[in-house]
Each structure stands twice: as C-alpha cells, then as structure tokens.
Amino acid sequence: MTPLDAPIQSRCLWILVLATALTALPPAPAAASHWPDNPSEWLTLCAYPENRYMETAVSDGEGGFIVVWSDGRSGWLNTYAQRVDGYGNPLWLPGGVALGVNSANQQDAQVVSDGDGGAIVVWMDYRNDAGDLFAQRVDRWGTVPWSADGVAVCDTTGAQSWARLVPTDDNGAILAWHDQRSGGYQVYVQRLDRYGVSQWQLDGLRMCLYASNQCCPEIATDGDGGAIVTWYDDRGADLDIYAGRVNAGGTVFYSGTGVEVCTASGDQRDPQIVSDGAGGGIIAWNDWRSGGGDVYAQRVDHGVNVLWVGDGVLACGSHFAGSLRATTDGAGGAVLTWSDDRSATADIYAQRVDASGTAVWTADGVVVCDAGGDQWAPEIVPCPYQEGVIIAWKDDRGFLDDLYAQRLTSGGYGWWTEDGVTVATGTGHKTNVRIVPDGEDGAFIQWLLSSDYDMCANRILHTGWLGYPSPDITGVNDYPHDQGGTVIASWSASSRDRFPYRDVLRYSVWRTYLGDEPVVPEPVQPPAALAERMPVSLLNRLEKSGWSYAGEVEACYLDEYAFDVPTYGDSTEDVIPLAGVLVIAHGDDDAWDTWPSEPDTGYSIDNLPPGAPLNLEGWRAGPDVVLDWDRPGDQPPDLSFYALYRDTEPGFVPGGLADTIATSTDTTFIDTDTDETNPYYYRVSAVDIHGNEGTLSNEVEVSPLAGVGSENGRLCYAPAFPPPHPNPFNPETVIEFVLPVASEVSLDVFDVRGEHVVRLVGELLAPGPHRVVWNGTDEAGRSVASGVFYCRLTWSGEKKVQRMVLLK
C-alpha cells in the first residue's frame, strides 16, 4: 500500500495497515459488531433477487473470511466474492466483486487464501464448450489483478470439473480436477503463480496414466511446495482409493498407476484428505466392504507410502455413515465427522484417528447430536489453540431445517449445550452450509436461505455464544479546557457486560501513534496479571503493531464507559497526530475470553491559549518604531511566538493572525515599515505551539514626527477551513474555506482507507471566501456508501484536512 502524499491521509490508512499485522483485529471503521447474538437473526451478505448458489468460503488469514458464490444478476450464473471482517463488516463492493462476468454460466467454485488477505478462486466455465476451468485472484482490497474474465486453467476439449486447490507459499495455488478430454475421467493438476500464469504443462499434468476412470480428486499440501492428491478409481471390480504426489517443479510421482490406498472389496469412494503436518496426509473415505456405509482412514507419508494397516483403519463400522468430512487434529492425526442413519433418524457422529492410526474415541464414533428429527450435512473446522473441533450441521428437529453447531474437545467431549447450539432458526430452509475458522477457536458459519436466496452468515465463539461481544468505541475526543496531551475514549459495554451475565470482568485500553513525528517510545507492556489472561498471539500482534497499554476499567454493568488516554502529541495547523485507541473486553480466567473492539482514532488539542503580554510600550527611533513588552503573567510553557498588530486608528480590533504585521520570538521588536508622518497604534498577542492565540495586550500609541500626518489602510484575509456543515450529512454538505492570497487550489475527498473519491476543486482561485457543495458522489458520479470521509484542502504549499460523516 502506498501512502498518499499528504501526511494526514497516510495516517487515515491506519485501520487497514494495522489489520495486516493484527490478524485478530480486522480492518473497518469504528462501529458496533454486526454479528447478532440471537439465532433468529443473522448477517445478510448478499440479497440480490436473482437465484444464488453459495459455493465455498475461506479464512482471509486476518480474522475474517472470503465467501464465493454464483448468481444470475447478469443474466448468466457468474462468480462473485465478498470479504467480511471479524466484526461482520463487508469490506468489498456491495453485492460482491465480480470475478469473471461473461455470457456463460459458471459454477462449482472453490477458493483458497492467497496468503495476503485475498483469495484465489477456480470455477467451471461454459463459455467455450462442455465446461472448462478458469481462475481469478481477488486481492485484499477487492481488486481482480488477473484477466477481467479470469485466466484459463484448462480449456481443452471435453469437460473439466470437480476442481480442488491448495495454496502455495508464493501466493499462488496448485489445482486438481477430473477431466474428460479423452472420453473417461482422468485426474490432472496445474500450478498457478500469483500472477495467474500456469507453471506446468499447458492444460495440466496427468496424475495417473492407468486406463481407468479416476474421479473426484481431493488435494492437500505436501509441505514442500507440492501437493498430495487422492481420488477414487474403477480399475478393479469395485471403486477403490488411490493417491499420488506432484512436487513444486511439476514432477508427478507414481504417475503410471498411482498408489493403492485401499483396494478392499466393495466400493470405496468420496475420499477426504488433510495434511498431517509432516509432509504427508491422512485420507478418509466411505467404505462398503462390509455391505454398508462405513468410514476408514489411511495415512501416507511425503513419498506417498502407506503408514497404517493395509486397506485402512476402521473409524466407524455402523454401515450407515455418509456425508464424510475431515480436518486435522493438530497432532498428526485427523478428526472425522459424518451423518449416520444407524438409529431411526440421521444423527451426527465423529471420530478422532491419531498419528499412529488408532481410533481414540468411542468405537464407531462419539455422538455429536442425536436429537429428534434428522441431522445431516456436517461441516468441520479445527480449534488449533485449545485443541478440538467445531462441527456445524443441518437439523430438522424443528419444523424446518435449522443450523446447529457443537465443539468437541480433543478427548471427544461436547463442550457446549448437549445436542448443539442453535446457530440459525426460523423461516426458510438453510442450505449450502459452510464453516470457516475465525482464528480465535471459533467459527464463521455461512448458508443460503432458500426462501429468498439470501446468503447469510453468523459467528460462533469458542464459548458457544453467537455474535462477538466486543466493546464498541463511540468516540475518541479531545479532553476539553486543558493544555492537550489527552483524549477521552468512550465505549459502549460488551453484550456480555449486561445483567444477568457476568462474563466480562474488565476492559483494557490501548493506544498507538499514527504518524511519523514525534518519535514514539517503546510500547508499554500490560501488567503481568493482565498479560497472563490474554492469548500470547494477541499480545505479540499488539506489540508488533505498536500498541501500548494505557490502563484498565472494571466492568460493572454500565451502558457506557470512558477512560482518559494520553496522546503522543497535539493537533496543530500543520499536522494532526492521530492517536489510535483500542479497547479489549476480558472475561474470567480463560485467556481466550478476550474480545478486542474495532480501533478508532482521535486527537488532542491544546485548548488553553496563553495570557496577554504585559506592559506594551512604544516609541520613535527616527523613522522607526521600537516596541517592548513583558511575557504573559501565566508564563505559558508552550509559548511559540508573539503576533504584532498595527493600525492608524485607536481602539482597533485585529481580525486574527492574518492581520499581523510581523511575529517575534523576543519581547522587543523594531517596526521599520512605517511612515514617519502617521500616528500608529499597536497591540501584541502571544501564540502557543498549537496555534492558540491569547488575549491582546494593552494598546499603545506612537505619534508621528512633529508637524506631519497622513493615513494608510489595507484589506487582508485570514486563511480558514472550518468543518463542513451539516456534519454528519445526507445527502450533501457544504465545504467552505478562505484563501489569504490567490492560489492554485485543490479540494479532494478521501475515504477512511485513504483512497481518492473525488476532486471538487482544481484551479486558480482569488483570495477571499469560497464555498463548495459535495453531494456524496465519486468521480464517476456514483453515490458512495455511508461512512467516514476526509476532505483535504491544498493551496500555496499548505494542506488542511476536515472529517465528514455520510449517514444514509
């Protein structure tokens, strides 16, 4: 990110800069968390009326997620994406960013992180024939840097489908798919770099040359820049599981036949694979060797050597398992979950298989949920910090299929309410359920509401609570009537700091400096007692990003709290040293019960001007006038200079600093620009380092030289740039300014990320007052969304900034 040339604007990009390092504190303007804590409410991510098919979602690596779907707003099913931060703020265009709009349907999108806050997406595209594979990268800002319609991964003859992909360390991806270019199904792979350029053979490398159908590949990283791919294969009498590996350079190992993972009797199909963290992978599948649907697993190493017992480890032998999903257990093994019809209705079960190939939980799996009605379509993510997993599923124990979730410990015990926590309930079927880890051992859950095709989401914490109980900073304001150096941070209480809850015990307040000057001291560390109750990862991110501990406030069921935060400098005409403020709600003794607010900014002002200079005297020294005075009686420590005023009439009142004839840092001044035939009247004021002008001194008369008189006058304008009005505004606001001299003027509007919105003035203007109206549109005349904006006035090398808020 390149800062704008104006110092204030580089500081206004602070939220996005901090979000890059503070992955638990995603970018957004300060506002209350959007995540509802009621299962009958949720966040709507896209509500266009066209049919919509939510495909997939992935973590953005910074505490939020990126969701990808296809919808028909263009007349065809095209692919779109939206990024949502950890507070529920959509960060990209309303309705999502188009990844490849063209006159053909697109479907079956899959997504991985690009390692830099964005994503790489692949989809099946019908623009040419029966279906090709195209891909697109969308960066952290919502910009698509590759070809506007996506780049071709494979557009040879026949259909290419069932694409899966994993990220690479160079911000690219490795993709696998099954391909019908030769009539049957074969598995191919390709690597894309961060620029969308294919790194291997055009249209992909074939993983297995055996003359059989290879279907439904799944892929995992091999930890060395390559990937392990598994699929099911019909070369025998039944369907079997095979695997292979491709390295970073595009060499396919065992390409002749692939490696046998399981060739037991009966069908083995629908494999899942997760990395084992040691360069290999754990493969699980549905297995019919015993006449019904069972679950087996096998581990392969970096060389795709089978490590466990032949044909796999039995994870569930109920004969009724389906809809298998898998994730890592964080210790070289895997946790598997599935829907199981062993009872009268379908229920959710899970099993952990450790690194040695032992099924460590209850034989045939632990019950995750066996409530009345059917439970099906589970999805699973790991809880890496506290170990265990979160499983979400569809559930019709009520009148409609609702969504539930449960957290399992590493020992297989349900941590939340028996039979799960209600995530979403009420009108409409919830389909296409997806789940993404939130980076804090909780999860984001997304689904499609079939009643109106709305794409919906909510957040569930590691505690089993819906929403996100962070405090909401309502203001960072100057402390009035002081010498500066302090702002008042105000915030609304956490939703868990409400009777009868007693889940939030205290709030810690943090500050940072958002500028280049002055030099900021080393961050202040929190007291040991507080640090012990915070995740180490959060403490490290705070320190890395320059956040300094400022103090604590005990939670006591108040609606609003406040704290005086010291700043690193006060605002002046030349610079606004913004102070960043962050408030963290802390729960009981669990280090993960910490919920940071969205950061906000403010600045302090020295509100106290110096006193009046004392005992002003003046006399003639030939044609010149000598003035002398004493320092103000209050002896201001921040006095910067004295402003001198002159007139030819007694009782004059200066119009401000623009009317000065000179300034002086001394208490003596010689006025050489006088007419010895005129009388003159003088007054002096003191000005502090923040531009505050104090009370005027006494007036002194200096007579002309004997026997001569004349008169003299001039008109001056004081530069001014008051706040726009009204503010907040809708639909328009008035921006006024006064120029002291004729100048080339530019007046520009920027959003809170520092991106240019519109230029309102760019021309030579005469001295005096000027008035401009902004109607809330950008350079192209499009209405902008509600939010915080900054208008910057530049003239004669001077720059000033005012803040505006558009509320629609």
Side-chain angles (χ1 to χ4, degrees), residues 7 32 54 64 74 146 207 255 297 342 380 471 569 574 602 638 683 728 745:
M54 190 174 75
S74 68
W146 298 350
M207 284 295 297
S255 61
R342 70 183 72 174
I380 186 171
D574 298 322
D638 57 351
R683 304 187 77 174
V745 175

Side-chain angles (χ1 to χ4, degrees), residues 56-60 64-68 81-84 92 111 117-119 138:
T56 188
V58 69
S59 169
D60 66 0
F65 66 92
I66 296 169
V67 61
V68 178
Q82 179 61 270
R83 183 181 179 193
V84 181
W92 295 342
V111 61
V138 55

Side-chain angles (χ1 to χ4, degrees), residues 51-124:
N51 289 357
R52 189 164 16 265
Y53 302 92
M54 190 174 75
E55 306 289 1
T56 188
V58 69
S59 169
D60 66 0
E62 298 179 359
F65 66 92
I66 296 169
V67 61
V68 178
W69 71 94
S70 58
D71 70 40
R73 74 185 75 171
S74 68
W76 302 88
L77 285 176
N78 290 151
T79 306
Y80 297 84
Q82 179 61 270
R83 183 181 179 193
V84 181
D85 70 15
Y87 301 98
N89 299 302
L91 300 181
W92 295 342
L93 293 173
V97 174
L99 303 185
V101 175
N102 57 49
S103 299
N105 287 329
Q106 301 162 358
Q107 64 185 47
D108 300 332
Q110 296 291 312
V111 61
V112 293
S113 170
D114 71 353
D116 193 27
I120 295 174
V121 183
V122 62
W123 65 87
M124 188 178 181

Side-chain angles (χ1 to χ4, degrees), residues 339-341 343-348 369 371-376 393-398 400-402:
S339 179
D340 198 304
D341 295 342
S343 301
T345 56
D347 301 315
I348 304 298
C369 178
D374 288 325
Q375 291 83 42
W376 72 104
W393 64 89
K394 295 173 64 175
D395 195 307
D396 71 357
R397 70 183 76 174
L400 291 171
D401 52 306
D402 295 329

Side-chain angles (χ1 to χ4, degrees), residues 352-436:
R352 179 185 175 194
V353 182
D354 68 16
S356 67
T358 302
V360 297
W361 294 348
T362 303
D364 295 332
V366 298
V367 177
V368 178
C369 178
D370 60 356
D374 288 325
Q375 291 83 42
W376 72 104
E379 297 289 337
I380 186 171
V381 292
C383 299
Y385 300 107
Q386 300 180 92
E387 300 183 346
V389 297
I390 294 176
I391 301 171
W393 64 89
K394 295 173 64 175
D395 195 307
D396 71 357
R397 70 183 76 174
F399 294 105
L400 291 171
D401 52 306
D402 295 329
L403 300 183
Y404 283 76
Q406 178 63 276
R407 176 183 162 197
L408 297 183
T409 67
S410 59
Y413 301 103
W415 192 256
W416 299 337
T417 304
E418 183 178 3
D419 287 327
V421 173
T422 309
V423 175
T425 186
T427 304
H429 294 280
K430 293 93 183 160
T431 63
N432 297 80
V433 181
R434 299 292 183 268
I435 185 170
V436 174

Side-chain angles (χ1 to χ4, degrees), residues 61-353:
E62 298 179 359
F65 66 92
I66 296 169
V67 61
V68 178
W69 71 94
S70 58
D71 70 40
R73 74 185 75 171
S74 68
W76 302 88
L77 285 176
N78 290 151
T79 306
Y80 297 84
Q82 179 61 270
R83 183 181 179 193
V84 181
D85 70 15
Y87 301 98
N89 299 302
L91 300 181
W92 295 342
L93 293 173
V97 174
L99 303 185
V101 175
N102 57 49
S103 299
N105 287 329
Q106 301 162 358
Q107 64 185 47
D108 300 332
Q110 296 291 312
V111 61
V112 293
S113 170
D114 71 353
D116 193 27
I120 295 174
V121 183
V122 62
W123 65 87
M124 188 178 181
D125 194 301
Y126 292 91
R127 71 183 71 178
N128 296 324
D129 54 21
D132 299 320
L133 293 182
F134 279 75
Q136 181 63 272
R137 181 181 176 205
V138 55
D139 67 20
R140 62 185 301 111
W141 315 113
T143 301
V144 288
W146 298 350
S147 174
D149 287 341
V151 299
V153 177
C154 179
D155 59 358
T156 189
T157 59
Q160 292 81 43
S161 58
W162 197 275
R164 299 293 187 265
L165 67 170
V166 291
T168 58
D169 292 338
D170 60 355
N171 306 112
I174 296 175
L175 304 90
W177 66 93
H178 61 211
D179 194 303
Q180 293 177 270
R181 70 182 73 177
S182 300
Y185 287 93
Q186 298 87 37
V187 174
Y188 281 77
V189 290
Q190 180 60 274
R191 178 171 183 163
L192 298 180
D193 68 11
R194 65 179 301 157
Y195 304 106
V197 178
S198 295
Q199 301 299 294
W200 298 338
Q201 179 177 305
L202 182 66
D203 290 326
L205 301 169
R206 187 168 172 181
M207 284 295 297
C208 179
L209 301 177
Y210 197 88
S212 61
N213 286 304
Q214 299 111 33
C215 299
C216 300
E218 297 292 339
I219 187 171
T221 178
D222 70 355
D224 195 27
I228 297 174
V229 181
T230 184
W231 63 89
Y232 68 86
D233 193 303
D234 70 356
R235 70 186 69 179
D238 308 300
L239 299 178
D240 298 315
I241 305 298
Y242 283 77
R245 174 175 163 254
V246 57
N247 69 13
T251 299
V252 177
F253 297 90
Y254 312 106
S255 61
T257 61
V259 173
E260 295 179 0
V261 175
C262 179
T263 58
S265 61
D267 283 344
Q268 291 82 42
R269 58 184 304 165
D270 305 324
Q272 300 283 299
I273 184 170
V274 297
S275 172
D276 65 0
I282 296 173
I283 302 169
W285 63 89
N286 288 121
D287 194 302
W288 279 264
R289 72 182 71 176
S290 299
D294 296 330
V295 177
Y296 280 77
Q298 181 61 269
R299 182 178 180 185
V300 296
D301 64 14
H302 191 64
V304 203
N305 299 299
V306 171
L307 299 181
W308 295 342
V309 297
D311 288 328
V313 172
L314 178 65
C316 172
S318 72
H319 305 337
F320 293 97
S323 302
L324 176 65
R325 293 292 184 269
T327 192
T328 177
D329 70 352
V335 179
L336 317 176
T337 186
W338 62 91
S339 179
D340 198 304
D341 295 342
R342 70 183 72 174
S343 301
T345 56
D347 301 315
I348 304 298
Y349 283 77
Q351 179 65 271
R352 179 185 175 194
V353 182

